[in-house]
């Protein structure tokens, strides 16, 4: 349970960081276009970018640590495949060759292994957490996409999300994390759930507005 709260907390934190990074650049762009204004569509674009940034923080960004010692400040970025150490006394890059990477191209193989290995309560909770976590990760992106984009189509949405997830899996493989087609399937299903939920909410909203 503590891992879940930690994950949610980090997701929200990086969503806020994403919003802080997005606002000035978007404001400068709109100012050049002489279209600087606040609207609901701009708010949804902000939330959409923030959700993507939060997803990247949980899938692509490295683990960080900061060490402050007398006369030295060191910032380390960790990946399973390599380590980047930056300090005021110099920098260091360490590449690890002999690492084991989980790589799977067989659909549902990992999900079935979760089910087969769920022989205890802890393993069952771990399996459910992994499946639900991968499903829920892209729900906000799916929900916000129709609200942030003027030209909305299911085909365009599926292509965008598929390419985004594929890019994430490729980066994860390169940096030494797991790359699994089951993650792609679950992420895509989660995004579709978010997209369809948004469409339903919009239809219900239009019905109430016409009454």
């Amino acid at each position: 349970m503590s891992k879940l709260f930690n994950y949610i907390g980090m997701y929200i934190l990086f969503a806020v960081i994403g919003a802080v990074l997005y606002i000035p650049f978007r404001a400068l762009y709109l100012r050049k276009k002489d279209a600087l204004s606040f609207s609901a569509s701009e708010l949804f674009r902000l939330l959409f970018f923030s959700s993507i940034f939060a997803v990247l923080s949980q899938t692509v960004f490295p683990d960080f640590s900061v060490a402050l010692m007398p006369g030295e400040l060191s910032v380390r970025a960790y990946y399973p495949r390599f380590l980047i150490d930056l300090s005021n006394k110099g920098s260091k890059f360490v590449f690890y060759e002999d690492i084991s990477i989980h790589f799977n191209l067989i659909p549902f193989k990992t999900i079935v292994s979760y089910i087969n290995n769920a022989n205890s309560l802890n393993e069952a909770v771990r399996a459910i957490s992994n499946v639900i976590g991968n499903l829920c990760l892209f729900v906000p992106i799916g929900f916000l996409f129709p609200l942030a984009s003027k030209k909305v189509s299911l085909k365009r949405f599926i292509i965008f999300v598929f390419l985004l997830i594929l890019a994430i899996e490729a980066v994860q493989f390169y940096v030494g994390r797991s790359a699994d087609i089951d993650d792609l399937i679950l992420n895509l299903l989660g995004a579709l759930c978010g997209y369809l939920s948004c469409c339903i909410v919009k239809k219900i909203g239009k019905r109430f507005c016409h009454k």
Side-chain angles (χ1 to χ4, degrees):
M1 188 62 71
S2 61
K3 279 188 175 182
L4 177 62
F5 285 121
N6 181 60
Y7 170 81
I8 294 172
M10 292 302 294
Y11 186 97
I12 294 171
L13 173 63
F14 277 96
V16 172
I17 294 172
V20 171
L21 293 173
Y22 174 86
I23 289 171
F25 286 102
R26 182 64 179 174
L28 285 172
Y29 172 79
L30 292 174
R31 191 172 181 180
K32 285 184 179 180
K33 294 277 187 178
D34 198 22
L36 186 60
S37 63
F38 181 81
S39 63
S41 60
E42 284 299 329
L43 175 61
F44 290 132
R45 288 191 187 99
L46 169 64
L47 294 174
F48 179 67
F49 178 85
S50 298
S51 65
I52 291 179
F53 195 83
V55 166
L56 294 178
S57 75
Q58 302 301 308
T59 56
V60 174
F61 292 176
D63 297 321
F64 288 98
S65 71
V66 179
L68 182 59
M69 295 171 283
E72 183 178 358
L73 172 63
S74 175
V75 179
R76 290 186 174 186
Y78 300 91
Y79 281 114
R81 192 183 289 275
F82 53 81
L83 161 70
I84 302 171
D85 188 352
L86 303 173
S87 74
N88 58 332
K89 292 187 176 180
S91 59
K92 181 172 65 175
F93 178 86
V94 181
F95 186 82
Y96 305 107
E97 293 184 2
D98 299 327
I99 62 168
S100 177
I101 303 173
H102 174 74
F103 182 68
N104 171 46
L105 289 176
I106 303 173
F108 306 110
K109 179 183 177 180
T110 302
I111 296 173
V112 170
S113 71
Y114 282 149
I115 297 170
N116 292 336
N117 294 327
N119 299 320
S120 65
L121 180 60
N122 287 336
E123 287 297 325
V125 170
R126 179 174 172 270
I128 293 170
S129 298
N130 274 289
V131 172
I132 293 178
N134 275 301
L135 275 171
C136 294
L137 187 62
F138 275 77
V139 170
I141 290 177
F143 188 87
L144 291 166
F145 185 89
L147 301 172
S149 177
K150 292 180 179 179
K151 297 178 181 178
V152 180
S153 70
L154 183 58
K155 181 180 177 181
R156 183 185 177 201
F157 167 75
I158 291 174
I159 292 172
F160 169 79
V161 175
F162 177 80
L163 292 176
L164 176 62
I165 299 169
L166 193 63
I168 288 172
E169 292 297 318
V171 172
Q172 287 191 144
F173 177 76
Y174 175 75
V175 300
R177 292 176 178 168
S178 65
D180 199 316
I181 194 171
D182 284 2
D183 290 348
L184 189 150
I185 293 169
L186 291 170
N187 292 162
L188 189 56
L189 284 174
L192 281 170
C193 288
Y195 181 91
L196 295 174
S197 298
C198 179
C199 293
I200 292 170
V201 170
K202 286 171 75 175
K203 283 186 178 180
I204 294 172
K206 284 181 181 178
R207 285 183 182 179
F208 275 105
C209 289
H210 286 304
K211 286 184 178 181

